[in-house]
Amino acid sequence: MFRGKNYKESAKLIDKQTQYEPLEAFGLVISGAKAKFDETVELHVKLGVDGRHADQQVRGAIVLPNGTGKTKRVLVFCKPERVEEALAAGADYAGGQELVQKIQTENWFEFDTVIATPDMMGTVGRRGKVLGPKGLMPSPKAGTVTPDIAKGVAEVKAGKVEYRLDKSNIIHCPIGKVSFGAEKLNENFDALISAIIKSKPAAAKGQYIKSCVTASTMGPGVKINAANRQA
């Protein structure tokens, strides 16, 4: 894989064999971020579970204490009589069947998060094949299927992130921007890793957190020592 000059320079700062303490790791990520834009900082956590089994799934959502640095565009699926309520709460789009149709016929995806009231899930659920692969399907576990529209929208706008296993049993999640600084990134990391540990399935055996790596959008990965955080 071709790596640019900036990436190679940043990689020299990092010992690939070392698991750094979180604060030091984020300092290295910030030092290594050379892009001309404010890079997103992500966390990648490999878990000792087998997500193919329903009783070993790990999924949830949390409002990060310092947000994500990105204002998400929110679409709310609700009945016509609640559209004004949703828009007043800060939703960017709100509606019912007409928005489902727009997504279906126009391939319209000008939004980052979908919230649905429970009475709309019959309609929204039938679009799972379209919304699911993009990570947009509302779910009760993530708090995006809720009768409390105002609370749902407020949490997303405040920096709520959803974490879930991919097919390799890894959770990938943004925890802020390089401009946050190491302290705020560390606070967000603490909140997210604590939530992941609390979500440990009863069926999980052995070491739960296998590895923990952080990286900026264009920078190299930095290993974090998560040994003292095992549940």
Side-chain angles (χ1 to χ4, degrees):
M1 183 186 291
F2 173 77
R3 297 294 193 186
K5 180 183 174 185
N6 285 343
Y7 182 97
K8 289 176 180 175
E9 288 296 315
S10 299
K12 290 177 184 176
L13 302 171
I14 300 157
D15 181 350
K16 288 187 176 180
Q17 305 307 313
T18 299
Q19 290 187 344
Y20 295 91
E21 291 306 309
L23 206 54
E24 187 179 1
F26 294 122
L28 287 168
V29 167
I30 292 165
S31 300
K34 308 288 188 187
K36 293 179 180 178
F37 60 92
D38 192 6
E39 296 180 50
T40 295
V41 178
E42 288 203 340
L43 192 68
H44 309 277
V45 186
K46 184 169 180 61
L47 298 180
V49 297
D50 187 347
R52 291 174 299 178
H53 301 290
D55 63 352
Q56 293 190 48
Q57 272 295 326
V58 179
R59 182 177 184 178
I62 182 173
V63 178
L64 296 176
N66 301 301
T68 62
K70 179 184 178 183
T71 303
K72 289 189 175 181
R73 299 164 297 175
V74 180
L75 165 63
V76 175
F77 283 119
C78 59
K79 297 290 186 184
E81 60 270 20
R82 300 196 69 183
V83 168
E84 285 303 318
E85 177 191 345
L87 294 174
D92 298 271
Y93 310 98
Q97 187 59 47
E98 74 281 8
L99 291 182
V100 172
Q101 200 66 28
K102 188 176 174 71
I103 292 167
Q104 195 75 17
T105 58
E106 299 176 27
N107 201 32
W108 175 69
F109 289 101
E110 298 297 314
F111 47 89
D112 306 298
T113 301
V114 177
I115 291 171
T117 53
D119 55 6
M120 286 298 295
M121 282 309 292
T123 302
V124 177
R126 290 196 288 274
R127 299 294 174 265
K129 287 184 179 177
V130 178
L131 296 171
K134 294 181 179 291
L136 293 169
M137 191 65 188
S139 83
K141 274 195 174 180
T144 45
V145 176
T146 175
D148 192 340
I149 293 173
K151 182 184 178 186
V153 173
E155 286 183 345
V156 171
K157 294 287 186 179
K160 186 178 193 176
V161 293
E162 184 179 354
Y163 56 89
R164 60 190 299 182
L165 291 176
D166 69 3
K167 290 180 180 177
S168 304
N169 300 312
I170 300 173
I171 288 172
H172 309 273
C173 215
I175 55 169
K177 298 282 189 179
V178 165
S179 61
F180 280 22
E183 290 281 354
K184 285 187 174 180
L185 288 171
N186 189 47
E187 288 171 7
N188 280 357
F189 163 77
D190 272 339
L192 178 60
I193 206 75
S194 296
I196 291 171
I197 288 171
K198 284 178 185 172
S199 300
K200 180 180 180 179
K205 304 298 179 191
Q207 187 178 0
Y208 181 50
I209 298 176
K210 292 283 192 181
S211 67
C212 194
V213 177
T214 184
S216 64
T217 307
M218 306 293 286
V222 181
K223 292 179 181 177
I224 293 178
N225 177 16
N228 61 343
R229 298 175 179 275
Q230 297 292 342

